[in-house]
Amino acid sequence: MIATALHRALADPGPPALRPLPPRAVELLLTLDAPPRLGAHLRAVHDVAARLLDWLRPAYPRLDVDHDAVLFGAATHDIGKTIHPEELSGPGSRHEPAGRELLLRHGVPAELARFAASHAGWDRPAMSTEELLVSLADKILKGRREPGLETLVVGRLAVAGNEQPWEAFMRLDDVLDGIGAEADARLAFQARYPTG
Ligand SMILES: [Fe+2]
């Protein structure tokens, strides 16, 4: 098989070192012949989500969160940009409902397809902790801090950790600073791959 730019984006060992996507996400992206830039972006967001989960597991063992759902959501959240590739390099939200519909059409269960529609709407009511974490990973990827989103995450952490919100914020802030420090390397990784 000829290694296309998409194959390379999905297998690129870095730098920065990024974990491989879940096999089902890789299969979907290859089936859809996703733009290479999208593959690279999903690798980067998935890796940030994995790093957040690596921290959460021991730091907040009582936080009720489905790790596999977060990882799949991070790995597919922008998949609607295969239908609306202009939103890879410009603004737009048409990829959000389109992405959810696309995943459902490919047999992905609704609880895993929801991230494609919700990742930019973290201020909507009834966002699950899993959805907030995917939204957070999508921001921290580029070192962007989003106080409203972080406040929502801190609320979940403080309850799970039985601690004051400011304590949870201090811990989260350290982790986000650390992950955010590598934003330039992740953005450079994405930029190595074409949008079309
Ligand atoms: Fe994204």
Side-chain angles (χ1 to χ4, degrees):
M1 190 200 306
I2 297 169
T4 64
L6 174 60
H7 283 92
R8 289 199 300 278
L10 296 176
D12 191 333
L18 303 174
R19 283 166 246 216
L21 297 181
R24 179 68 178 128
V26 170
E27 191 184 311
L28 284 164
L29 293 168
L30 291 174
T31 299
L32 296 167
D33 194 21
R37 174 75 55 84
L38 176 61
H41 173 67
L42 295 174
R43 291 266 324 271
V45 176
H46 169 265
D47 193 71
V48 170
R51 290 177 62 174
L52 286 171
L53 292 172
D54 284 349
W55 168 69
L56 283 171
R57 193 176 280 114
Y60 291 92
R62 297 217 317 270
L63 184 70
D64 184 16
V65 59
D66 180 337
H67 287 220
D68 287 341
V70 172
L71 292 173
F72 185 84
T76 56
H77 72 281
D78 272 341
I79 204 160
K81 292 184 182 178
T82 57
I83 298 172
H84 298 289
E86 70 283 0
E87 294 183 2
L88 267 175
S89 49
S93 57
R94 289 191 300 170
H95 71 278
E96 295 160 21
R100 179 175 177 277
E101 290 305 314
L102 184 62
L103 289 171
L104 291 174
R105 276 204 304 280
H106 280 80
V108 173
E111 64 268 26
L112 294 177
R114 64 188 160 155
F115 301 94
S118 70
H119 62 271
W122 46 263
D123 50 351
R124 290 178 207 148
M127 284 283 278
S128 64
T129 302
E130 287 85 353
E131 287 170 295
L132 292 176
L133 290 172
V134 170
S135 298
L136 186 61
D138 200 23
K139 297 293 177 202
I140 296 304
L141 155 93
K142 43 189 182 259
R144 175 130 153 237
R145 302 294 298 258
E146 202 65 65
L149 172 57
E150 292 175 22
T151 298
L152 292 171
V153 174
V154 160
R156 310 289 168 103
L157 299 183
V159 169
N162 194 24
E163 61 190 356
Q164 294 299 314
W166 67 265
E167 293 174 288
F169 177 75
M170 297 288 281
R171 297 169 78 184
L172 179 68
D173 186 49
D174 271 354
V175 172
L176 298 186
D177 268 356
I179 299 175
E182 293 170 39
D184 286 349
R186 284 188 294 269
L187 292 172
F189 174 86
Q190 288 184 186
R192 287 207 293 273
Y193 290 94
T195 55

